[in-house]
Structure formats: C-alpha cells, structure tokens
C-alpha cells in the first residue's frame, strides 16, 4: 500500500505538471505516454506469440498522434489535411512489411498491429484534443477529465470493498460489483460538481453529465482491458508503475471514455 501511494503521488505530480507547463509540453508528454501504452500493448501480444509489426506500429502511432495534434497548432486547414493524408502511405507499410515476413498468420499480425493503434493512440489523441476542444489551449478540460476518472476509480474501489455484493461482470472482472459501479459514478459526479465551482467553462449540470459518462463508459473500458488481459492469461499489463501495474491498467478507463467525452463537450461548446 505504501509503494502504491508513493507511486500514485509522483504520478499525479507529473501529470499535473504536464498541464501547467503549456501546450507544447502537454502535447509532447501525452504523445510519449500514448506510445508507451502502445509499446506495452505490443509487448503483451508478442508474449502471446503474435508477431505484431512493433516498430512500424510505433512509427504510425507517432504519426497519427502528431497529425491530430498539429491540426490544433496550424492555422492552415489544407496543410493539416495533407498531414493526415500522409497516414495512408505510412499505414499501408504495415501490410507491405508482412509480405516479406515468413508467418503462418500474417493477417493476425496485421490485425493486432492495427488494434494497438485503435486501442491506445486513438483514445489518447481524443484525450489530447480535450485541451483544445474550445479553440485555444485550456488545461481545465483534460485535467477535470482525469480528476473525475480517478474519483470514479476511487469511489468504485471503496464502495465495492465496503458494500459490494452483486457482481457486475464476473466473467471478465470477478471483483467488480454493481454497488462499486454506482458508488464510483456518485463520487465522480460529486467531483464534477466541485470542479464546476472553480472551472466555469461549463455549467454544473454539464460537468456532472461528463462525470456520469466517464463513470459509465470508463467502467466499460476497464472491463474491456480486463477482457484483453484474461484472453492473454495475464494479471497486470506491466510493472512500470509499482503498486499499480502497467500503463494500460492505469488508463483503462480513459481508452473508451475519452472519445465519447470529447464528442459530448465538442457539441456542448460548439
């Protein structure tokens, strides 16, 4: 527990530092973090005997994140679109590279290479976009997202431990309960209301709506990541965060919630 607390403290400090250091540091930090998650994903599937194209996948992951991120910095929309079109060339290399490999399951390798991009890079690109959802860079949105996500995780853990009786989805996550799920959503909503007192970009009910989305969809993301690990017969996605497991374990709720919360906020603000 002590190791978990110390790791969590420094992890939160680093995350908050990325928000306060300005848009460039924010973009670079989350690009690197998304690539570390992608690398962790590829390491896990390679351990299961699937020969993903790791280097090509990482290059494409960096390209996807950079193309999306640069669109917020460039005033020239045509140039931004050209950067995105370059991805057609780089992504095709995943198929072409497989032609020169001796593998009995080439499309399994190709499929998991693309799945890594969809599972990690795309969600982190949406999360990064939260900082620019209202036009100019504003760290309040991604910061609030993580606060509500962590509040949901903490609320679900405590509620499930104290009150948990009814299994939520035992086949994929035996410890999760409905009591924990509702407790997490309530605590996340409370965090959303408190955030509304300081971050005035949204009304209180809009922040709470975002918290409810994070609580519901984030839990689904957690279950999907559990399903992924169970399919590979592993307990933790890694050991990069002592006491917390791997990066995918830490950001599993973000993977599904970030795109949906971004979409919600985009329509609310625009």
């Amino acid at each position: 527990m002590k190791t978990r607390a110390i790791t969590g403290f420094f992890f939160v400090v680093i995350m908050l530092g990325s928000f306060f250091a300005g848009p460039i540091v924010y973009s670079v930090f989350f690009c690197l973090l998304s690539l570390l998650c992608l690398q962790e994903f590829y390491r896990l599937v390679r351990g299961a005997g699937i020969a993903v194209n790791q280097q090509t996948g990482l290059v494409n992951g960096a390209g996807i994140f950079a193309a999306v991120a640069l669109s917020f910095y460039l005033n020239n929309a045509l140039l931004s679109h050209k950067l995105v079109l370059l991805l057609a060339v780089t992504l095709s290399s995943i198929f072409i590279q497989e032609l020169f490999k001796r593998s009995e399951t080439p499309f399994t390798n190709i499929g998991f290479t693309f799945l890594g991009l969809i599972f990690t890079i795309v969600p982190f690109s949406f999360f990064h976009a939260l900082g620019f959802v209202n036009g100019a860079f504003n760290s309040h949105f991604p910061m609030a997202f993580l606060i509500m996500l962590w509040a949901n995780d903490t609320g679900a853990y405590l509620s499930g431990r104290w009150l948990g009786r009814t299994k939520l989805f035992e086949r994929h996550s035996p410890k999760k309960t409905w009591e924990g799920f509702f407790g997490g959503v309530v605590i996340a909503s409370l965090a959303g209301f408190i955030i509304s007192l300081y971050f005035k970009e949204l009304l209180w009910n809009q922040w709470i709506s975002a918290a409810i989305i994070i609580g519901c969809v984030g839990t689904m993301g957690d279950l999907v990541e559990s399903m992924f690990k169970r399919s590979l017969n592993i307990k933790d996605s890694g050991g990069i965060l002592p006491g917390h497991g791997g990066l995918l374990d830490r950001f599993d709720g973000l993977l599904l919630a970030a795109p949906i919360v971004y979409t919600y906020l985009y329509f609310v603000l625009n």
Side-chain angles (χ1 to χ4, degrees):
M1 184 62 72
K2 182 179 179 181
T3 301
R4 181 182 177 89
I6 293 173
T7 303
F9 172 77
F10 284 105
F11 182 74
V12 170
V13 169
I14 293 171
M15 295 291 289
L16 292 178
S18 70
F19 296 130
F20 294 119
I24 300 297
V25 173
Y26 169 78
S27 297
V28 172
F29 175 78
F30 280 101
C31 178
L32 293 175
L33 187 59
S34 67
L35 291 175
L36 286 173
C37 287
L38 178 60
Q39 185 180 43
E40 187 173 274
F41 177 93
Y42 286 154
R43 178 180 57 79
L44 293 174
V45 295
R46 286 174 71 90
I50 301 169
V52 292
N53 301 318
Q54 180 169 319
Q55 289 74 24
T56 309
L58 289 169
V59 169
N60 277 281
I64 292 170
F65 193 99
V68 175
L70 285 173
S71 67
F72 299 112
Y73 291 95
L74 300 174
N75 294 323
N76 189 329
L78 182 59
L79 180 58
S80 298
H81 293 159
K82 288 180 179 178
L83 289 173
V84 174
L85 290 175
L86 285 175
L87 294 175
V89 177
T90 60
L91 288 171
S92 66
S93 63
I94 296 175
F95 292 93
I96 296 171
Q97 183 180 7
E98 201 64 36
L99 290 172
F100 297 91
K101 293 172 60 178
R102 294 182 179 274
S103 174
E104 296 180 357
T105 57
F107 278 92
T108 299
N109 304 334
I110 292 170
F112 273 92
T113 303
F114 275 101
L115 179 60
L117 298 173
I118 296 170
F119 194 60
T120 60
I121 300 298
V122 171
F124 270 99
S125 296
F126 274 100
F127 175 79
H128 170 268
L130 284 173
F132 302 88
V133 68
N134 202 21
F137 175 68
N138 186 339
S139 64
H140 287 179
F141 291 109
M143 191 186 307
F145 178 97
L146 287 182
I147 291 172
M148 291 184 287
L149 180 64
W150 293 336
N152 175 73
D153 290 345
T154 303
Y157 173 76
L158 295 177
S159 301
R161 187 172 183 178
W162 294 338
L163 305 172
R165 296 292 185 274
T166 311
K167 299 298 183 182
L168 175 64
F169 215 125
E170 190 172 8
R171 180 157 58 94
H172 294 305
S173 187
K175 294 183 179 180
K176 286 196 178 344
T177 62
W178 280 104
E179 292 83 359
F181 167 73
F182 287 117
V185 172
V186 169
I187 298 300
S189 299
L190 178 60
F193 177 75
I194 295 173
I195 287 169
S196 72
L197 302 178
Y198 299 95
F199 296 170
K200 301 296 184 179
E201 291 85 357
L202 297 175
L203 300 175
W204 67 269
N205 58 316
Q206 293 170 330
W207 281 118
I208 291 177
S209 296
I212 293 172
I213 294 173
I214 290 171
C216 294
V217 184
T219 300
M220 295 299 105
D222 192 333
L223 289 170
V224 168
E225 203 253 349
S226 295
M227 178 174 64
F228 168 67
K229 290 188 296 184
R230 289 176 75 84
S231 70
L232 299 179
N233 295 315
I234 57 176
K235 184 178 185 296
D236 295 321
S237 65
I240 193 172
L241 299 173
H244 291 265
L247 289 172
L248 292 177
D249 294 325
R250 184 69 275 174
F251 290 104
D252 49 10
L254 178 149
L255 300 177
L256 290 187
I260 296 178
V261 170
Y262 174 83
T263 303
Y264 167 72
L265 292 180
Y266 179 84
F267 284 112
V268 167
L269 293 169
N270 295 281

